[in-house]
Amino acid sequence: MRFPLTFAPIAMAVLLASPALADTMSLSGTGTVRAAPDMATINTGVTTQAETAREALDANSAAMADLVAALREAGLEDRDIQTSDFSVSPQYVYSDRRDDNGYTPPPEIQGYQVSNTVTIVVRDLEALGSVLDQAVTVGANTINGIVFAVDDVTKLEEEARKLAFADAMAKAETYAGAAGLRLGSIESIREMDAQQPPMPMYRAQAMEMAADGSVPVEAGEMSYSITATIEWEIEDDNQ
């Protein structure tokens, strides 16, 4: 005689029964760990305008040379400075004049704009505020966001896996106990392929990086999660 089981969909528990196969139960568990970041990725660069494309490019190249030199002087290695965008584009002036027939003159090129952007990686977060301040000082007029990260997440992911397993096990034991079942051997363990990117978890007392009057930056914490689905054989205590 089999013990009748009914699980609500929200419980995310599945019980499969087959005359030829042992009954199994499958549950998912999630493990989350948090850690302070140890690196930051930033897009920064220079945008210049001039009457001709040549003049705009020359001015931009000179400013970018100063910026890259300043970044290297701040301690960034060659591997941590990479050109990520470059563009030359005309700047138009649109006329608001209109003749009696409704004709409006086409836009005219007034000048040219050159943009050059580099993606930099700062591995010493205590120097991050100073790096940003120095970049602007030497001519950087474009800075697009800061993405914090942990360089090596191997140990964090290992800990998250242990927590995910423990979470799934605790759920399974609860369901099994409530249903009068015993957990048998583990049939499979599957880790979710698609994971959300780490999200910053801000804390009240984040890392201060502006003691020398440079740009104030707070690093906060990063959150890493892993979800694992585990399948057990089950036995009915009521049999």
Side-chain angles (χ1 to χ4, degrees):
M1 174 180 179
R2 293 187 180 276
F3 190 90
L5 285 175
T6 301
F7 289 119
I10 195 172
M12 299 181 67
V14 178
L15 185 64
L16 305 175
S18 170
L21 299 175
D23 291 338
T24 62
M25 181 169 63
S26 178
L27 283 167
S28 295
T30 300
T32 301
V33 294
R34 295 178 176 84
D38 56 17
M39 61 182 291
T41 302
I42 307 159
N43 290 324
T44 183
V46 178
T47 298
T48 56
Q49 293 181 335
E51 185 175 345
T52 68
R54 178 77 265 171
E55 291 173 334
L57 178 59
D58 290 344
N60 188 278
S61 297
M64 281 300 297
D66 291 341
L67 173 58
V68 172
L71 293 174
R72 290 196 174 109
E73 185 178 347
L76 273 68
E77 301 178 16
D78 289 345
R79 63 171 179 153
D80 294 330
I81 306 174
Q82 182 180 58
T83 298
S84 53
D85 186 62
F86 176 81
S87 65
V88 179
S89 56
Q91 302 299 292
Y92 293 96
V93 174
Y94 294 85
S95 175
D96 57 0
R97 293 176 299 164
R98 181 175 297 181
D99 62 20
D100 295 338
N101 296 320
Y103 173 77
T104 299
E108 298 180 354
I109 296 177
Q110 186 181 43
Y112 290 84
Q113 177 176 287
V114 175
S115 295
N116 195 339
T117 303
V118 291
T119 298
I120 64 173
V121 178
V122 179
R123 301 180 189 276
D124 178 9
L125 289 187
E126 292 185 358
L128 178 55
S130 177
V131 170
L132 295 175
D133 183 78
Q134 194 168 351
V136 173
T137 298
V138 299
N141 55 14
T142 301
I143 297 179
N144 299 317
I146 300 175
V147 178
F148 292 102
V150 175
D151 187 25
D152 186 356
V153 298
T154 303
K155 292 183 178 180
L156 297 177
E157 290 178 342
E158 288 178 356
E159 182 62 25
R161 288 186 178 99
K162 293 177 183 178
L163 293 174
F165 181 88
D167 184 37
M169 178 64 76
K171 293 177 182 177
E173 289 175 345
T174 298
Y175 282 119
L181 303 173
R182 293 193 307 273
L183 293 178
S185 61
I186 292 176
E187 294 293 295
S188 66
I189 299 177
R190 300 187 304 276
E191 186 174 303
M192 294 283 289
D193 291 333
Q195 298 183 35
Q196 292 184 345
M199 300 296 292
M201 305 293 291
Y202 298 106
R203 16 177 217 194
Q205 295 180 343
M207 192 184 309
E208 287 287 341
M209 302 181 205
D212 58 355
S214 58
V215 179
V217 182
E218 295 183 349
E221 286 186 334
M222 308 301 298
S223 176
Y224 293 86
S225 296
I226 284 181
T227 298
T229 300
I230 305 174
E231 186 176 31
W232 291 265
E233 280 191 358
I234 56 172
E235 299 177 2
D236 191 346
D237 277 346
N238 298 294
Q239 288 182 336

